[in-house]
């Protein structure tokens, strides 16, 4: 504001200002245009400095030591994501939570935080009453071992139907759940078996997605603590009894009960939110997190805002470090068999479709394990489609669109990465320890270098709003630039020093692409 007066001849001011600015070794020329000032960066220096780390195999941390991150607080971040419910459907919302949470955890970790990855299973509630009551009738131990998720779901669906018209079943379910709540050993042991077998199966399937968790917690862990929360609220005078006999907390700004949150049913049992309060307090004690991030669809926004508010009212000021990252709904995620019920179905479908596309394409290479490649590429297609726009948006799922090789898809990212890997491999041993940055001054090279230079900004932006779209769009753009570079900067047939310099550029682009893909939760393939 001090250098530029708000009125006067703008052109004159531009020229005066331009003449006052001094060039140096980085900015080699400063000139005035019509109302703009042009800064010309020393291209040789740009190429040299930017590509330096890639010569010494230091490309993995490229951009991460940027000064931009100095202002970011680092500490322990707990990210809770995926969180499916035992014996129930794993729906598209759980899939979104899984990949978004994984991205956030990867990003936080890359930026130097200690990250705890947590899965909070829906492992408590009336569905276990029904399951427990129905297992004797409809369950089969063999099937449970063979395909636990499917079998528990089947039993659950059947016993649910039965309970609709059969009072005895309903009563049996209530009895079983009460036994569970009272920790009766037989009921608990059956429940435990269901839970263990489910976790084991999930672990396995998440691995196919490239996702893992440090902790499999769940609602069941906080049963007793939830009662303790109720007692605390009572003693602080925060729990009121409603006309219906339920226990509620008044969250209205004027204290007139115009907005309340129910924490206790009239029969004295706790609810989803009561367990969440207990879980949050327990996690704070156990993990001393600096921030905690919950990832679920936007239908739970109200739930989390109530949760944070109640924690604050209980005196837990750390609640300010809790955040809910919400996302929109996905319509039409179907497989050949029909609606998606299990995570495995989505993965199988992505793999099968990608395998088919690969067999149709004449650029497909001979692969050791085509299924594995198809799965990785299929999953990246899912992820990119999901991450391209703002997380809050709803979208329609379409297999054909997401699996296109051209256009802005995960397949395109993988294809570009594989092509770069094959270029490196063909020229192995050619890369020089020192290279000549002055051989990279064409526009095509410079645009790539300038783009790579912005990698830290993009990570910074993603860290601010926890939206993956910045990184996805950065990588897609990078792939388009690399495609031009393959045409315009050939390695084969160029003089050795030119070839070496270009290889260095391609190797830098390849590292950044791979690093970015990994943060998104995509496992780059070297060949496809
Ligand atoms: N199991 C829940 C569901 O499927 C999601 C849990 C989200 N996390 C939480 N702490 N409430 O809707």
């Amino acid at each position: 504001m001090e250098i530029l007066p708000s009125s006067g001849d703008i052109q004159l001011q531009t020229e005066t200002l331009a003449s006052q600015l001094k060039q140096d070794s980085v900015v080699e020329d400063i000139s005035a245009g019509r109302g703009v000032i042009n800064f010309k960066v020393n291209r040789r220096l740009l190429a040299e400095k930017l590509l330096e780390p890639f010569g010494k195999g230091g490309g993995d941390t490229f951009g991460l030591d940027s000064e931009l991150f100095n202002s970011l607080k680092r500490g322990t971040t707990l990210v809770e994501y995926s969180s499916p419910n035992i014996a129930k459907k794993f729906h598209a919302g759980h899939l979104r939570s899984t990949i978004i949470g994984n991205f956030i955890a990867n990003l936080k970790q890359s930026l130097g935080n200690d990250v705890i990855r947590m899965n909070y299973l829906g492992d408590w509630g009336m569905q276990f009453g029904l399951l427990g009551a129905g297992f004797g009738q409809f369950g089969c131990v063999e099937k449970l071992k063979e395909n636990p998720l499917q079998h528990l779901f089947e039993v659950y669906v059947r016993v649910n139907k039965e309970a609709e018209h059969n009072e005895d079943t309903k009563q049996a379910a209530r009895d079983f759940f009460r036994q569970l709540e009272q920790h009766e050993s037989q009921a608990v042991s059956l429940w435990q078996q269901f839970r263990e077998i489910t976790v084991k199966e999930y672990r396995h399937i998440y691995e196919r997605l490239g996702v893992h968790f440090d902790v499999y917690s769940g609602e069941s862990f906080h049963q007793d603590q939830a009662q303790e929360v109720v007692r605390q609220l009572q003693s602080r005078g925060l729990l009121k009894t409603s006309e219906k006999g339920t226990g509620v907390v008044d969250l209205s700004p004027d204290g007139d009960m115009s907005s309340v949150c129910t924490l206790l049913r009239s029969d004295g049992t706790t609810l989803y939110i009561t367990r969440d309060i207990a879980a949050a307090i327990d996690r704070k004690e156990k993990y001393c997190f600096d921030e905690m991030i919950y990832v679920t669809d936007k239908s739970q926004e109200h739930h989390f805002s109530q949760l944070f508010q109640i924690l604050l009212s209980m005196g837990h000021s750390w609640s300010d470090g809790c955040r809910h990252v919400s996302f929109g709904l996905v319509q039409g995620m179907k497989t050949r068999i029909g609606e998606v019920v299990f995570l495995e179905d989505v993965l199988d479908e992505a793999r099968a479709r990608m395998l088919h596309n690969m067999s149709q394409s004449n650029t497909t290479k001979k692969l050791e394990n085509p299924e594995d490649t198809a799965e990785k590429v299929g999953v990246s297609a899912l992820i990119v489609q999901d991450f391209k726009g703002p997380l809050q948006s709803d979208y329609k799922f379409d297999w054909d669109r997401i699996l296109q090789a051209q256009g802005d898809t995960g397949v395109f990212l993988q294809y570009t990465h594989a092509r770069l890997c094959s270029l490196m491999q063909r020229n192995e041993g050619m890369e020089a320890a020192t290279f000549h940055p002055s051989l990279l001054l064409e526009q095509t090279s410079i645009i790539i270098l300038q783009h790579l230079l912005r990698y830290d900004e993009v990570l910074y932006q993603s860290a601010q709003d926890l939206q993956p779209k910045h990184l996805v769009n950065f990588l897609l753009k990078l792939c388009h630039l690399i495609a031009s570079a393959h045409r315009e900067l050939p390695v084969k047939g160029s003089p050795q020093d030119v070839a070496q310099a270009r290889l260095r550029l391609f190797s830098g682009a390849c590292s950044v692409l791979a690093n970015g893909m990994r943060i998104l939760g995509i496992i780059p393939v070297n060949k496809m």
Side-chain angles (χ1 to χ4, degrees), residues 195-235:
R195 190 185 194 279
E196 268 165 26
I197 239 164
T198 301
V199 169
K200 193 164 156 230
E201 184 73 3
Y202 263 124
R203 249 188 237 281
H204 190 67
I205 305 168
Y206 285 129
E207 211 173 288
R208 286 178 62 183
L209 248 186
V211 168
H212 76 276
F213 293 92
D214 302 311
V215 190
Y216 279 85
S217 76
E219 293 182 44
S220 66
F221 287 55
H222 307 289
Q223 240 357 74
D224 298 338
Q225 293 163 353
Q227 294 290 352
E228 178 55 34
V229 164
V230 170
R231 276 191 289 278
Q232 275 176 26
L233 284 162
Q234 257 156 357
S235 70

Short mmCIF file of all heavy atoms in Angstrom, two decimals, residues 195-235:
data_model
loop_
_atom_site.label_atom_id
_atom_site.label_comp_id
_atom_site.label_asym_id
_atom_site.label_seq_id
_atom_site.Cartn_x
_atom_site.Cartn_y
_atom_site.Cartn_z
N ARG A 195 -16.99 -60.35 16.08
CA ARG A 195 -16.16 -59.16 15.91
C ARG A 195 -14.77 -59.51 15.39
O ARG A 195 -14.28 -58.92 14.43
CB ARG A 195 -16.04 -58.41 17.25
CG ARG A 195 -15.40 -57.05 17.08
CD ARG A 195 -15.16 -56.34 18.40
NE ARG A 195 -14.86 -54.93 18.19
CZ ARG A 195 -13.66 -54.47 17.85
NH1 ARG A 195 -12.65 -55.29 17.69
NH2 ARG A 195 -13.49 -53.16 17.67
N GLU A 196 -14.16 -60.52 16.02
CA GLU A 196 -12.80 -60.88 15.63
C GLU A 196 -12.71 -61.31 14.19
O GLU A 196 -11.83 -60.91 13.43
CB GLU A 196 -12.28 -62.00 16.54
CG GLU A 196 -11.53 -61.45 17.74
CD GLU A 196 -11.33 -62.49 18.81
OE1 GLU A 196 -11.29 -63.71 18.50
OE2 GLU A 196 -11.21 -62.09 20.00
N ILE A 197 -13.66 -62.15 13.83
CA ILE A 197 -13.66 -62.70 12.48
C ILE A 197 -13.90 -61.59 11.45
O ILE A 197 -13.31 -61.56 10.37
CB ILE A 197 -14.73 -63.83 12.42
CG1 ILE A 197 -14.07 -65.12 12.04
CG2 ILE A 197 -15.88 -63.50 11.57
CD1 ILE A 197 -14.94 -66.32 12.33
N THR A 198 -14.72 -60.63 11.83
CA THR A 198 -14.99 -59.49 10.94
C THR A 198 -13.75 -58.63 10.77
O THR A 198 -13.39 -58.26 9.65
CB THR A 198 -16.13 -58.63 11.51
OG1 THR A 198 -17.29 -59.44 11.66
CG2 THR A 198 -16.45 -57.47 10.60
N VAL A 199 -13.09 -58.33 11.87
CA VAL A 199 -11.89 -57.48 11.81
C VAL A 199 -10.82 -58.15 10.95
O VAL A 199 -10.18 -57.52 10.11
CB VAL A 199 -11.35 -57.17 13.22
CG1 VAL A 199 -9.98 -56.53 13.15
CG2 VAL A 199 -12.32 -56.27 13.97
N LYS A 200 -10.67 -59.44 11.13
CA LYS A 200 -9.65 -60.18 10.38
C LYS A 200 -9.93 -60.06 8.88
O LYS A 200 -9.04 -59.79 8.07
CB LYS A 200 -9.68 -61.64 10.82
CG LYS A 200 -8.49 -62.41 10.34
CD LYS A 200 -8.33 -63.73 11.09
CE LYS A 200 -7.53 -64.68 10.21
NZ LYS A 200 -8.16 -66.00 10.09
N GLU A 201 -11.17 -60.24 8.53
CA GLU A 201 -11.57 -60.18 7.13
C GLU A 201 -11.38 -58.76 6.57
O GLU A 201 -10.86 -58.57 5.48
CB GLU A 201 -13.04 -60.61 7.03
CG GLU A 201 -13.57 -60.69 5.63
CD GLU A 201 -13.04 -61.87 4.84
OE1 GLU A 201 -12.28 -62.68 5.42
OE2 GLU A 201 -13.36 -61.96 3.64
N TYR A 202 -11.79 -57.78 7.36
CA TYR A 202 -11.66 -56.40 6.91
C TYR A 202 -10.19 -56.02 6.69
O TYR A 202 -9.84 -55.40 5.69
CB TYR A 202 -12.30 -55.42 7.90
CG TYR A 202 -13.71 -55.03 7.49
CD1 TYR A 202 -14.78 -55.22 8.34
CD2 TYR A 202 -13.95 -54.48 6.24
CE1 TYR A 202 -16.07 -54.87 7.96
CE2 TYR A 202 -15.23 -54.13 5.85
CZ TYR A 202 -16.29 -54.33 6.71
OH TYR A 202 -17.55 -53.99 6.33
N ARG A 203 -9.35 -56.43 7.62
CA ARG A 203 -7.91 -56.14 7.50
C ARG A 203 -7.40 -56.55 6.13
O ARG A 203 -6.68 -55.82 5.45
CB ARG A 203 -7.16 -56.97 8.55
CG ARG A 203 -6.56 -56.16 9.65
CD ARG A 203 -5.68 -57.09 10.49
NE ARG A 203 -6.11 -57.09 11.87
CZ ARG A 203 -5.80 -56.13 12.73
NH1 ARG A 203 -5.07 -55.11 12.35
NH2 ARG A 203 -6.22 -56.18 13.97
N HIS A 204 -7.81 -57.73 5.76
CA HIS A 204 -7.40 -58.34 4.52
C HIS A 204 -7.89 -57.53 3.31
O HIS A 204 -7.15 -57.28 2.37
CB HIS A 204 -8.03 -59.73 4.54
CG HIS A 204 -7.56 -60.62 3.47
ND1 HIS A 204 -6.29 -61.07 3.41
CD2 HIS A 204 -8.22 -61.11 2.39
CE1 HIS A 204 -6.17 -61.85 2.34
NE2 HIS A 204 -7.32 -61.88 1.70
N ILE A 205 -9.14 -57.13 3.37
CA ILE A 205 -9.71 -56.40 2.23
C ILE A 205 -9.14 -54.99 2.14
O ILE A 205 -8.86 -54.49 1.04
CB ILE A 205 -11.25 -56.36 2.32
CG1 ILE A 205 -11.79 -57.78 2.46
CG2 ILE A 205 -11.85 -55.72 1.08
CD1 ILE A 205 -13.24 -57.83 2.84
N TYR A 206 -8.94 -54.35 3.30
CA TYR A 206 -8.34 -53.01 3.29
C TYR A 206 -6.95 -53.07 2.65
O TYR A 206 -6.52 -52.12 2.01
CB TYR A 206 -8.22 -52.46 4.71
CG TYR A 206 -9.50 -51.97 5.34
CD1 TYR A 206 -9.88 -52.40 6.60
CD2 TYR A 206 -10.33 -51.06 4.68
CE1 TYR A 206 -11.04 -51.94 7.21
CE2 TYR A 206 -11.49 -50.60 5.27
CZ TYR A 206 -11.85 -51.04 6.54
OH TYR A 206 -13.00 -50.59 7.13
N GLU A 207 -6.27 -54.17 2.87
CA GLU A 207 -4.93 -54.31 2.32
C GLU A 207 -4.98 -54.21 0.79
O GLU A 207 -4.11 -53.60 0.17
CB GLU A 207 -4.36 -55.66 2.74
CG GLU A 207 -2.87 -55.67 2.91
CD GLU A 207 -2.44 -57.00 3.49
OE1 GLU A 207 -2.70 -57.24 4.69
OE2 GLU A 207 -1.89 -57.81 2.74
N ARG A 208 -5.99 -54.79 0.20
CA ARG A 208 -6.14 -54.69 -1.26
C ARG A 208 -6.27 -53.24 -1.68
O ARG A 208 -5.89 -52.86 -2.77
CB ARG A 208 -7.40 -55.45 -1.71
CG ARG A 208 -7.24 -56.95 -1.68
CD ARG A 208 -8.52 -57.66 -2.09
NE ARG A 208 -8.95 -57.38 -3.45
CZ ARG A 208 -10.07 -57.85 -3.99
NH1 ARG A 208 -10.87 -58.64 -3.27
NH2 ARG A 208 -10.41 -57.55 -5.22
N LEU A 209 -6.85 -52.43 -0.81
CA LEU A 209 -7.04 -51.00 -1.12
C LEU A 209 -5.80 -50.18 -0.78
O LEU A 209 -5.74 -49.00 -1.07
CB LEU A 209 -8.17 -50.47 -0.24
CG LEU A 209 -9.50 -50.06 -0.84
CD1 LEU A 209 -10.36 -49.44 0.25
CD2 LEU A 209 -9.36 -49.09 -1.99
N GLY A 210 -4.83 -50.81 -0.11
CA GLY A 210 -3.65 -50.08 0.32
C GLY A 210 -3.91 -49.26 1.58
O GLY A 210 -3.26 -48.26 1.83
N VAL A 211 -4.89 -49.70 2.36
CA VAL A 211 -5.27 -48.95 3.56
C VAL A 211 -4.99 -49.81 4.79
O VAL A 211 -5.19 -51.02 4.77
CB VAL A 211 -6.79 -48.62 3.50
CG1 VAL A 211 -7.30 -48.11 4.83
CG2 VAL A 211 -7.07 -47.61 2.39
N HIS A 212 -4.49 -49.16 5.86
CA HIS A 212 -4.35 -49.91 7.11
C HIS A 212 -4.75 -49.04 8.29
O HIS A 212 -4.84 -47.82 8.17
CB HIS A 212 -2.92 -50.43 7.28
CG HIS A 212 -1.96 -49.36 7.69
ND1 HIS A 212 -1.36 -48.52 6.78
CD2 HIS A 212 -1.55 -48.94 8.91
CE1 HIS A 212 -0.60 -47.66 7.42
NE2 HIS A 212 -0.69 -47.88 8.73
N PHE A 213 -4.98 -49.69 9.42
CA PHE A 213 -5.35 -48.96 10.64
C PHE A 213 -4.42 -49.35 11.77
O PHE A 213 -4.01 -50.50 11.86
CB PHE A 213 -6.80 -49.29 11.03
CG PHE A 213 -7.78 -48.76 10.02
CD1 PHE A 213 -8.20 -49.56 8.97
CD2 PHE A 213 -8.23 -47.46 10.10
CE1 PHE A 213 -9.08 -49.06 8.01
CE2 PHE A 213 -9.11 -46.95 9.14
CZ PHE A 213 -9.54 -47.76 8.10
N ASP A 214 -4.11 -48.38 12.62
CA ASP A 214 -3.32 -48.69 13.80
C ASP A 214 -4.22 -49.26 14.89
O ASP A 214 -3.79 -50.05 15.71
CB ASP A 214 -2.64 -47.42 14.33
CG ASP A 214 -1.75 -46.79 13.27
OD1 ASP A 214 -0.94 -47.53 12.68
OD2 ASP A 214 -1.88 -45.58 13.01
N VAL A 215 -5.47 -48.81 14.91
CA VAL A 215 -6.38 -49.24 15.97
C VAL A 215 -7.75 -49.59 15.38
O VAL A 215 -8.30 -48.82 14.59
CB VAL A 215 -6.60 -48.09 17.00
CG1 VAL A 215 -7.36 -48.62 18.21
CG2 VAL A 215 -5.30 -47.44 17.41
N TYR A 216 -8.26 -50.74 15.77
CA TYR A 216 -9.66 -51.08 15.47
C TYR A 216 -10.45 -50.89 16.76
O TYR A 216 -10.53 -51.80 17.57
CB TYR A 216 -9.80 -52.52 15.00
CG TYR A 216 -9.46 -52.71 13.55
CD1 TYR A 216 -8.13 -52.89 13.14
CD2 TYR A 216 -10.44 -52.70 12.56
CE1 TYR A 216 -7.81 -53.05 11.80
CE2 TYR A 216 -10.12 -52.85 11.22
CZ TYR A 216 -8.82 -53.03 10.85
OH TYR A 216 -8.51 -53.17 9.52
N SER A 217 -10.95 -49.70 16.97
CA SER A 217 -11.77 -49.50 18.16
C SER A 217 -13.22 -49.74 17.76
O SER A 217 -13.49 -50.27 16.69
CB SER A 217 -11.57 -48.10 18.70
OG SER A 217 -12.27 -47.18 17.91
N GLY A 218 -14.14 -49.35 18.59
CA GLY A 218 -15.53 -49.57 18.24
C GLY A 218 -16.43 -49.07 19.34
O GLY A 218 -15.98 -48.78 20.45
N GLU A 219 -17.70 -48.99 19.03
CA GLU A 219 -18.66 -48.47 20.00
C GLU A 219 -18.69 -49.33 21.27
O GLU A 219 -18.91 -48.82 22.36
CB GLU A 219 -20.04 -48.41 19.37
CG GLU A 219 -20.14 -47.38 18.27
CD GLU A 219 -21.55 -47.28 17.69
OE1 GLU A 219 -22.51 -47.28 18.48
OE2 GLU A 219 -21.66 -47.23 16.46
N SER A 220 -18.47 -50.62 21.10
CA SER A 220 -18.58 -51.53 22.25
C SER A 220 -17.59 -51.17 23.36
O SER A 220 -17.86 -51.43 24.52
CB SER A 220 -18.31 -52.96 21.79
OG SER A 220 -16.98 -53.08 21.36
N PHE A 221 -16.45 -50.59 22.97
CA PHE A 221 -15.42 -50.29 23.95
C PHE A 221 -15.86 -49.23 24.96
O PHE A 221 -15.23 -49.05 25.97
CB PHE A 221 -14.16 -49.77 23.25
CG PHE A 221 -13.38 -50.80 22.52
CD1 PHE A 221 -14.00 -51.59 21.56
CD2 PHE A 221 -12.04 -51.02 22.78
CE1 PHE A 221 -13.31 -52.55 20.88
CE2 PHE A 221 -11.33 -51.99 22.09
CZ PHE A 221 -11.97 -52.77 21.13
N HIS A 222 -16.90 -48.50 24.61
CA HIS A 222 -17.21 -47.32 25.41
C HIS A 222 -18.56 -47.40 26.10
O HIS A 222 -19.12 -46.41 26.53
CB HIS A 222 -17.10 -46.07 24.53
CG HIS A 222 -15.78 -46.00 23.84
ND1 HIS A 222 -14.61 -45.72 24.52
CD2 HIS A 222 -15.43 -46.23 22.56
CE1 HIS A 222 -13.59 -45.78 23.67
NE2 HIS A 222 -14.07 -46.08 22.48
N GLN A 223 -19.07 -48.63 26.19
CA GLN A 223 -20.33 -48.88 26.85
C GLN A 223 -20.34 -48.34 28.28
O GLN A 223 -21.19 -47.55 28.66
CB GLN A 223 -20.53 -50.40 26.91
CG GLN A 223 -21.73 -50.95 26.23
CD GLN A 223 -22.65 -49.94 25.64
OE1 GLN A 223 -22.36 -49.35 24.60
NE2 GLN A 223 -23.77 -49.73 26.29
N ASP A 224 -19.37 -48.82 29.05
CA ASP A 224 -19.36 -48.47 30.47
C ASP A 224 -18.98 -47.01 30.68
O ASP A 224 -19.55 -46.31 31.52
CB ASP A 224 -18.40 -49.39 31.24
CG ASP A 224 -18.84 -50.84 31.14
OD1 ASP A 224 -20.06 -51.06 30.87
OD2 ASP A 224 -18.00 -51.75 31.30
N GLN A 225 -18.00 -46.57 29.86
CA GLN A 225 -17.59 -45.16 29.97
C GLN A 225 -18.75 -44.22 29.64
O GLN A 225 -18.82 -43.12 30.18
CB GLN A 225 -16.44 -44.87 29.01
CG GLN A 225 -15.15 -45.59 29.39
CD GLN A 225 -14.16 -45.62 28.23
OE1 GLN A 225 -14.48 -45.22 27.12
NE2 GLN A 225 -12.96 -46.13 28.50
N ALA A 226 -19.64 -44.67 28.76
CA ALA A 226 -20.77 -43.81 28.38
C ALA A 226 -21.67 -43.58 29.60
O ALA A 226 -22.19 -42.47 29.80
CB ALA A 226 -21.55 -44.45 27.24
N GLN A 227 -21.81 -44.61 30.42
CA GLN A 227 -22.60 -44.44 31.65
C GLN A 227 -21.90 -43.45 32.60
O GLN A 227 -22.54 -42.66 33.28
CB GLN A 227 -22.80 -45.79 32.37
CG GLN A 227 -23.67 -46.78 31.58
CD GLN A 227 -25.15 -46.37 31.52
OE1 GLN A 227 -25.58 -45.41 32.19
NE2 GLN A 227 -25.94 -47.08 30.71
N GLU A 228 -20.59 -43.51 32.60
CA GLU A 228 -19.80 -42.61 33.43
C GLU A 228 -19.99 -41.15 32.97
O GLU A 228 -20.13 -40.24 33.78
CB GLU A 228 -18.32 -43.04 33.34
CG GLU A 228 -17.32 -42.18 34.10
CD GLU A 228 -17.67 -42.03 35.58
OE1 GLU A 228 -18.20 -43.00 36.17
OE2 GLU A 228 -17.41 -40.94 36.13
N VAL A 229 -20.02 -40.98 31.64
CA VAL A 229 -20.27 -39.65 31.07
C VAL A 229 -21.62 -39.11 31.57
O VAL A 229 -21.74 -37.96 31.97
CB VAL A 229 -20.26 -39.71 29.52
CG1 VAL A 229 -20.89 -38.47 28.91
CG2 VAL A 229 -18.84 -39.89 29.00
N VAL A 230 -22.60 -39.99 31.55
CA VAL A 230 -23.93 -39.59 32.01
C VAL A 230 -23.88 -39.13 33.46
O VAL A 230 -24.43 -38.08 33.82
CB VAL A 230 -24.92 -40.77 31.84
CG1 VAL A 230 -26.23 -40.47 32.54
CG2 VAL A 230 -25.14 -41.07 30.37
N ARG A 231 -23.14 -39.88 34.28
CA ARG A 231 -23.04 -39.50 35.70
C ARG A 231 -22.35 -38.14 35.85
O ARG A 231 -22.80 -37.29 36.62
CB ARG A 231 -22.25 -40.57 36.47
CG ARG A 231 -23.13 -41.73 36.92
CD ARG A 231 -22.40 -42.64 37.90
NE ARG A 231 -21.33 -43.40 37.27
CZ ARG A 231 -21.52 -44.54 36.58
NH1 ARG A 231 -22.75 -45.05 36.46
NH2 ARG A 231 -20.51 -45.18 36.02
N GLN A 232 -21.30 -37.95 35.06
CA GLN A 232 -20.58 -36.65 35.14
C GLN A 232 -21.51 -35.50 34.77
O GLN A 232 -21.52 -34.46 35.42
CB GLN A 232 -19.40 -36.64 34.18
CG GLN A 232 -18.15 -37.26 34.75
CD GLN A 232 -17.05 -37.30 33.71
OE1 GLN A 232 -17.03 -36.50 32.78
NE2 GLN A 232 -16.15 -38.25 33.86
N LEU A 233 -22.27 -35.70 33.69
CA LEU A 233 -23.17 -34.64 33.23
C LEU A 233 -24.22 -34.35 34.29
O LEU A 233 -24.60 -33.20 34.54
CB LEU A 233 -23.84 -35.04 31.91
CG LEU A 233 -22.93 -34.91 30.69
CD1 LEU A 233 -23.48 -35.71 29.53
CD2 LEU A 233 -22.77 -33.45 30.29
N GLN A 234 -24.67 -35.45 34.94
CA GLN A 234 -25.66 -35.29 36.01
C GLN A 234 -25.08 -34.45 37.14
O GLN A 234 -25.70 -33.51 37.61
CB GLN A 234 -26.07 -36.67 36.54
CG GLN A 234 -27.42 -37.11 36.04
CD GLN A 234 -27.56 -38.62 36.08
OE1 GLN A 234 -26.61 -39.35 36.42
NE2 GLN A 234 -28.74 -39.11 35.72
N SER A 235 -23.85 -34.81 37.54
CA SER A 235 -23.30 -34.12 38.71
C SER A 235 -22.98 -32.65 38.40
O SER A 235 -22.94 -31.82 39.28
CB SER A 235 -22.06 -34.86 39.23
OG SER A 235 -21.01 -34.71 38.31
#
